[in-house]
Amino acid sequence: MKIFFISLVIFGVMSGVIIFNSMYINEVAAELEELAAAVTAEGDGISALEDFWDRNIRKIEFSVNHTLVDAIEIRIKNIRHFSEAGEANSLEREVMLLLEDLKELKRLDEISVHNIF
Amino acid sequence: MLTVFMRTFIVYTTLIIAMRLMGKRQIGELEVSELVTTFMLSELATTPIQNLDVPVIHAVIPIVVLLFIEVLTSVVLIKIPFLKSIVSARPNILIRDGKIDQKELKSNRISLEELMGELRSGQCPNISDVAYAILEKNGKLTIVPKAKSSPPTADDLGIKPQESGILHLLIIDGKICENNLKVSGKSRLWLEKEISKLPCPMKNIYFFGIDDAERITLVRKEGK
């Protein structure tokens, strides 16, 4: 029974970590969506988006597939690049793609038929 | 490179803890559920080591879930024996009193040649000499020979052999094994006294042991 209780504790701790991680990812993704939506063609709001991403990337990488993390990272870099180059259309397209990636980030942490199967 | 090293270390440590908690059976004789778990564990463990895009936690979580299911199942099966017949196989008697149960043999998909091979390796090649041949849950065949075909025991021969028990290795490679010393019921003082009587210093001892009949075995290191 000792082993059972040890396993139960480990399982309980892990379940707690999973729940809190899921809540955290959803919160961060929602905040990033807001920040991304606030980016203007003139480049306003990009610094806030970058700062928020830099503050959270290490924690996100802990549980999210690195391919998706890299994709978001590249999109944010592209937004900065297109803003500095004055390419408003490309910037807008990157923002839209970033929003799609952020939706995917949230979707991966949902319990759904699509995710399970 | 450092990432792969760290990932290997984390996954290996998690696996070792999980396997230790699952018990010794996981290492040796496996039941169907245990075999499935072991296969899954090996697959899960290698994925994040080989694919750097997969976070280590994606291997750790399933390992912990499997550990929990395995331990929970074993506890539930002890509490509710009825479920054991559903989850795990039951032992089947293939030979009873020298007669093969052909139905059982067929239902377990064992050919006569395989059965005969098992009997031969069990030192009981003649079916008529077998009292019971039981196919155990782990797939091994237990052969119980009839009394007339069993090797005579000390009781049968009317002799009283001295119990030697097991050999407790108290010194291995010049170092005292505290745990073995405790198990053997001897004190360190006793051991030190015995060592002082030996013809060689402790550092030159390959192994020094004592059995339950107090017989001492000493092997020196080669060339010492």
Side-chain angles (χ1 to χ4, degrees):
Chain A
M1 283 312 270
K2 195 173 86 180
I3 284 175
F4 173 71
F5 285 117
I6 294 170
S7 307
L8 191 67
V9 168
I10 295 172
F11 185 74
V13 169
M14 191 198 71
S15 303
V17 169
I18 290 172
I19 292 165
F20 280 109
N21 179 69
S22 181
M23 285 161 62
Y24 169 75
I25 293 290
N26 273 297
E27 206 175 289
V28 167
E31 182 71 27
L32 281 168
E33 273 179 338
E34 266 181 42
L35 290 169
V39 171
T40 63
E42 291 75 35
D44 295 336
I46 297 176
S47 296
L49 178 67
E50 284 173 333
D51 287 347
F52 187 76
W53 175 251
D54 288 342
R55 277 203 309 273
N56 291 283
I57 184 171
R58 296 284 162 247
K59 289 177 220 160
I60 294 171
E61 273 180 332
F62 176 70
S63 64
V64 177
N65 192 304
H66 297 174
T67 311
L68 181 59
V69 176
D70 291 346
I72 295 171
E73 174 99 351
I74 288 165
R75 299 249 179 267
I76 294 171
K77 282 199 167 81
N78 284 347
I79 289 170
R80 165 64 70 192
H81 169 75
F82 291 133
S83 162
E84 284 172 359
E87 296 176 31
N89 288 340
S90 299
L91 187 145
E92 200 178 324
R93 197 193 65 222
E94 279 304 309
V95 170
M96 294 308 289
L97 290 171
L98 174 63
L99 287 170
E100 285 303 314
D101 283 345
L102 293 173
K103 265 187 206 163
E104 177 72 4
L105 181 66
K106 278 208 283 192
R107 191 188 62 76
L108 288 174
D109 259 277
E110 281 171 4
I111 296 175
S112 64
V113 176
H114 177 79
N115 274 354
I116 294 169
F117 296 100
Chain B
M1 292 289 271
L2 191 66
T3 310
V4 175
F5 172 79
M6 286 306 292
R7 282 174 163 230
T8 310
F9 180 76
I10 292 166
V11 173
Y12 178 77
T13 311
T14 312
L15 260 182
I16 290 290
I17 293 168
M19 297 288 271
R20 284 290 292 120
L21 288 172
M22 281 176 194
K24 281 182 183 166
R25 288 180 59 85
Q26 210 67 21
I27 304 162
E29 299 162 352
L30 303 171
E31 275 194 42
V32 179
S33 63
E34 294 164 340
L35 188 69
V36 170
T37 308
T38 308
F39 280 154
M40 286 180 74
L41 284 177
S42 63
E43 273 297 311
L44 289 166
T46 51
T47 308
I49 294 171
Q50 291 172 331
N51 186 355
L52 292 183
D53 283 336
V54 179
V56 173
I57 197 80
H58 287 193
V60 174
I61 289 172
I63 289 171
V64 173
V65 172
L66 282 176
L67 157 72
F68 183 67
I69 292 172
E70 187 66 27
V71 175
L72 182 71
T73 309
S74 56
V75 170
V76 169
L77 291 182
I78 290 168
K79 300 278 178 199
I80 313 167
F82 160 73
L83 292 175
K84 207 163 175 73
S85 60
I86 298 168
V87 178
S88 62
R90 277 184 298 185
N92 299 105
I93 300 174
L94 303 182
I95 300 175
R96 191 195 298 261
D97 197 23
K99 287 189 182 68
I100 297 174
D101 188 331
Q102 293 182 24
K103 205 174 150 190
E104 284 289 351
L105 210 61
K106 205 173 171 182
S107 69
N108 285 290
R109 297 186 303 282
I110 292 174
S111 69
L112 194 61
E113 287 81 6
E114 283 173 316
L115 179 67
M116 292 307 292
E118 288 291 332
L119 293 181
R120 282 194 296 274
S121 58
Q123 305 294 320
C124 210
N126 198 335
I127 294 172
S128 60
D129 291 337
V130 179
Y132 286 100
I134 303 161
L135 186 65
E136 302 291 356
K137 288 188 290 183
N138 53 29
K140 283 192 174 179
L141 192 71
T142 302
I143 301 160
V144 182
K146 285 182 178 173
K148 67 179 173 70
S149 308
S150 304
T153 63
D155 278 348
D156 294 335
L157 299 172
I159 53 173
K160 284 185 180 170
Q162 193 182 16
E163 285 291 345
S164 60
I166 57 166
L167 182 68
H168 303 281
L169 296 178
L170 306 182
I171 299 172
I172 300 173
D173 206 17
K175 291 183 182 70
I176 295 172
C177 299
E178 296 292 348
N179 191 47
N180 291 355
L181 190 65
K182 201 174 156 188
V183 173
S184 71
K186 297 289 178 194
S187 67
R188 202 180 167 102
L189 198 71
W190 173 88
L191 183 61
E192 280 164 5
K193 204 173 154 189
E194 288 298 317
I195 293 167
S196 66
K197 289 186 211 163
L198 296 176
C200 63
M202 197 167 87
K203 63 175 184 173
N204 290 346
I205 296 173
Y206 184 58
F207 80 78
F208 172 87
I210 184 167
D211 63 19
D212 293 344
E214 303 278 317
R215 283 186 302 218
I216 286 171
T217 307
L218 169 71
V219 175
R220 290 190 207 190
K221 285 181 186 173
E222 278 178 5
K224 302 279 179 178

